Amino acid sequence: MPSPYRAIFAAPGTRSFSVAGFIGRMPLSMMGIGIVTMISQVTGRYGLAGALSATMAMSAAVLGPQVSRMVDRYGQRRVLRPVTLVALVAAAGLLLCVQQKAPDWTLFVFTAVIGVVPSLGAMTRARWADIYRGEARRLHTAYSWESIVDEVCFIFGPIISIGLSTIWFPEAGPLFAAVFLAIGVFWLTSLRATEPAPHPHDGHSGGSALRSPGLQILALAFVATGAIFGSVDVVTVAFAEEQGHKAAASLVLAVYALGSCLAGAVFGLLHLKGDPSRRWLLGTCAMAVSMIPLLLAGNLPLLAVALFVAGLSIAPTMVTTMALVEAHVPRTKLTEGMTWTSTGLAVGVALGSSAAGWVVDASGAEAGYVVPVVSGAVAVAVGLLGYRRLRMPVPTREGQRERDHESEHEGDGQPVA
């Protein structure tokens, strides 16, 4: 492991919570695509599959920030364990309804409750931010590491989920996602030494973190970004089935995540100068442009190449987003602020997967790739319109003070992460 990554794990307890967070984040890539695969296997209806995946994402978008806000106020252990138990019970109910061929409305009810599942990525990032408060370079590396973990989940998660559902039995993918969630959450919350201190009073005062204009732009742009991810997942499964190799969809999606993983690993080693809002806008533009070649891929190998290239812009953009969240959100609401970006992604995944499912049912898989292209264009439009807000962090924010400190060093000719 390169020295910058070794350095961030010098702090006690960092390895344990990172591994626990990795396991607990596997459902992020397994549950949605697992539901799509399970429903398409059992019913053959991609519209229903996409709608259920969208329901879970929309539910997570509504409930996720509220869960994270409670975490900021009461602590990770007190909040995460009970809400995870609720999500696990709902997942069991969904699988039982699918197996018993229950009415469609029951599937939507249980899927909506699964959305209470906590954002483990925000929880681990909050721990890094607490450990390396004021150390911008190490925090940049830590966020890059977390982005790598995210992408490793997306490399192996779809392979496990789709593979289990297609080779073993349809419900196997979501079932194992629930197992990973239980292990990850209960292990993470047992690690009390690295848990950020709750802010019962500060976290309640001042309203939601979403009042920040900069965070509003990030969350809105991530709606469009999430639509890219959600639609690519659904359309790729359908495209692979049309090609006669449905199980290969997991490998193609893994290549997409691999591109992001490699880019994130390199990005974490760089000590970049300049305005992070500019880097974020460039990354968003790169993601949008990289969707266009998907329309031209006529077979799975070409699609895999196109998705690998598209993945290269994801992790750097996500890492830069976390830096911008810190600049615009009070530290007492950092977990909530990070979750709002995840919420934007979840809403986008809901819209993108649902729209892609209907387009696939109506016009075929190749036509479905129009959805991520349009979504990318919307993300760029939001970024351009809100760029001025991103360049002007609120002066009272903790992150702004850290950026001012970095600017002083930049003036001295020292490299800044």
Side-chain angles (χ1 to χ4, degrees):
M1 185 181 294
S3 56
Y5 289 108
R6 286 201 305 269
I8 63 172
F9 286 105
T14 52
R15 295 177 185 271
S16 296
F17 81 68
S18 184
V19 175
F22 165 68
I23 295 173
R25 262 180 286 182
M26 287 296 287
L28 181 67
S29 63
M30 291 180 65
M31 187 62 78
I33 197 67
I35 289 175
V36 170
T37 307
M38 174 179 67
I39 297 299
S40 65
Q41 286 279 100
V42 174
T43 69
R45 297 161 60 191
Y46 276 97
L48 175 62
L52 287 172
S53 180
T55 298
M56 186 183 70
M58 288 295 289
S59 176
V62 173
L63 300 175
Q66 310 312 316
V67 171
S68 292
R69 193 175 185 185
M70 288 191 294
V71 166
D72 283 329
R73 293 178 61 188
Y74 302 114
Q76 294 186 1
R77 182 186 179 92
R78 288 183 60 186
V79 176
L80 298 189
R81 290 192 170 189
V83 300
T84 298
L85 289 175
V86 172
L88 293 174
V89 171
L94 172 64
L95 299 185
L96 184 62
C97 287
V98 171
Q99 187 182 54
Q100 298 299 317
K101 294 181 170 51
D104 288 353
W105 68 266
T106 62
L107 307 183
F108 283 97
V109 170
F110 283 112
T111 301
V113 180
I114 294 175
V116 77
V117 62
S119 173
L120 267 291
M123 305 305 156
T124 54
R125 286 178 171 90
R127 291 187 182 223
W128 286 117
D130 191 61
I131 292 171
Y132 292 123
R133 182 179 306 176
E135 300 182 51
R137 289 179 61 173
R138 288 199 174 185
L139 200 52
H140 168 78
T141 304
Y143 286 158
S144 297
W145 171 257
E146 288 299 311
S147 182
I148 294 170
V149 172
D150 284 339
E151 299 311 328
V152 170
C153 289
F154 277 95
I155 290 172
F156 292 103
I159 294 175
I160 296 172
S161 189
I162 296 176
L164 288 173
S165 291
T166 54
I167 297 174
W168 198 1
F169 57 92
E171 300 85 0
L175 175 61
F176 273 77
V179 172
F180 281 125
L181 176 65
I183 295 172
V185 169
F186 281 86
W187 184 7
L188 180 69
T189 53
S190 71
L191 304 173
R192 304 299 297 276
T194 55
E195 180 179 347
H199 304 276
H201 302 296
D202 294 339
H204 180 64
S205 62
S208 171
L210 195 59
R211 291 187 176 185
S212 163
L215 183 59
Q216 292 170 8
I217 296 300
L218 293 173
L220 188 58
F222 267 41
V223 172
T225 303
I228 294 175
F229 300 156
S231 57
V232 166
D233 282 354
V234 173
V235 178
T236 298
V237 173
F239 185 81
E241 184 174 34
E242 286 186 1
Q243 297 288 312
H245 303 284
K246 185 175 183 178
S250 60
L251 298 176
V252 175
L253 292 174
V255 169
Y256 187 30
L258 177 62
S260 179
C261 181
L262 294 177
V266 174
F267 192 70
L269 300 176
L270 302 178
H271 300 150
L272 302 174
K273 299 180 180 180
D275 185 3
S277 60
R278 185 181 300 111
R279 290 198 299 271
W280 177 84
L281 183 59
L282 290 175
T284 302
C285 291
M287 276 197 293
V289 172
S290 68
M291 291 297 105
I292 297 175
L294 303 184
L295 295 170
L296 308 176
N299 55 58
L300 288 175
L302 287 177
L303 178 62
V305 172
L307 285 175
F308 176 81
V309 174
L312 295 175
S313 59
I314 295 176
T317 306
M318 297 299 181
V319 173
T320 307
T321 299
M322 293 302 107
L324 289 173
V325 170
E326 274 209 302
H328 289 268
V329 175
R331 188 168 296 278
T332 55
K333 300 178 182 179
L334 186 58
T335 306
E336 182 193 350
M338 291 179 174
T339 304
W340 274 114
T341 60
S342 301
T343 294
L345 284 174
V347 172
V349 168
L351 298 175
S353 60
S354 182
W358 293 114
V359 172
V360 167
D361 282 346
S363 305
E366 289 193 39
Y369 283 117
V370 171
V371 178
V373 172
V374 173
S375 301
V378 173
V380 171
V382 172
L384 290 172
L385 292 174
Y387 182 62
R388 290 185 61 186
R389 292 187 181 185
L390 293 178
R391 294 198 57 170
M392 300 170 58
V394 179
T396 57
R397 297 297 190 253
E398 190 79 18
Q400 175 62 23
R401 290 197 289 271
E402 292 175 11
R403 288 183 63 185
D404 290 343
H405 178 67
E406 293 171 28
S407 298
E408 293 175 5
H409 284 298
E410 195 172 294
D412 295 335
Q414 298 182 20
V416 178

